[in-house]
Amino acid sequence: ILSRALGGKTGRAISGWDIGVTAIHLSSSTSTLFSSLNIPTTLSVIECHQDEVRELPPEAEVIAWSEKTGVEMFRYGDHMMGIQGHPEYTKDILLHLIDRLMQLSFIEDSYADELKANLGKVEPDKDAWKKLCTSFLKGRF
């Protein structure tokens, strides 16, 4: 929504739903930007979406990507940052969303079962996300 509001183009992801805990990679220029925060260059975040940024808004910069999504994060100057994932979500929230998507027939039961089975394997990097988002909001990078 943020990308589209700023003049970018979005749409349904060709690769389909992205649900679960996903590893995102900070771009090399962004790693330098975040270096003072002492956070890893790869962060895990909870995702639940089927849309993606296809074209960034003018003057926006990709700051993170994943194997499935080319624009996981972008910044628009020093005052706006878009995040595809949901650092604010917990696994309980995600489990509820998976059940809801299955009940509404947006995803197959077997896919929901697979997603739930994989949830225990990786934890989102909550502390790193908190540092990153707080620092951005305070204008510290």
Side-chain angles (χ1 to χ4, degrees), residues 27-114:
S27 68
S28 56
S29 62
T30 304
S31 294
T32 304
L33 187 66
F34 297 140
S35 64
S36 66
L37 300 178
N38 288 329
I39 59 173
T41 57
T42 299
L43 297 173
S44 295
V45 67
I46 292 176
E47 305 230 35
C48 187
H49 63 89
Q50 64 176 347
D51 294 327
E52 65 185 358
V53 173
R54 294 196 177 156
E55 186 179 311
L56 283 174
E59 300 178 35
E61 172 191 5
V62 174
I63 57 177
W65 56 276
S66 71
E67 299 301 323
K68 191 168 187 175
T69 305
V71 181
E72 284 286 353
M73 292 175 64
F74 71 91
R75 73 182 199 147
Y76 189 80
D78 292 331
H79 59 286
M80 284 191 225
M81 179 170 64
I83 304 171
Q84 184 69 43
H86 295 278
E88 76 281 11
Y89 281 10
T90 63
K91 285 187 176 181
D92 285 340
I93 291 171
L94 183 58
L95 284 169
H96 175 75
L97 289 170
I98 291 168
D99 286 339
R100 188 94 168 113
L101 291 170
M102 183 179 63
Q103 290 167 358
L104 294 170
S105 300
F106 290 135
I107 61 174
E108 299 290 325
D109 293 7
S110 59
Y111 183 47
D113 292 341
E114 178 186 329

Side-chain angles (χ1 to χ4, degrees), residues 12-27:
R12 291 282 189 242
I14 295 167
S15 58
W17 283 97
D18 194 354
I19 304 172
V21 180
T22 302
I24 69 160
H25 311 280
L26 300 177
S27 68

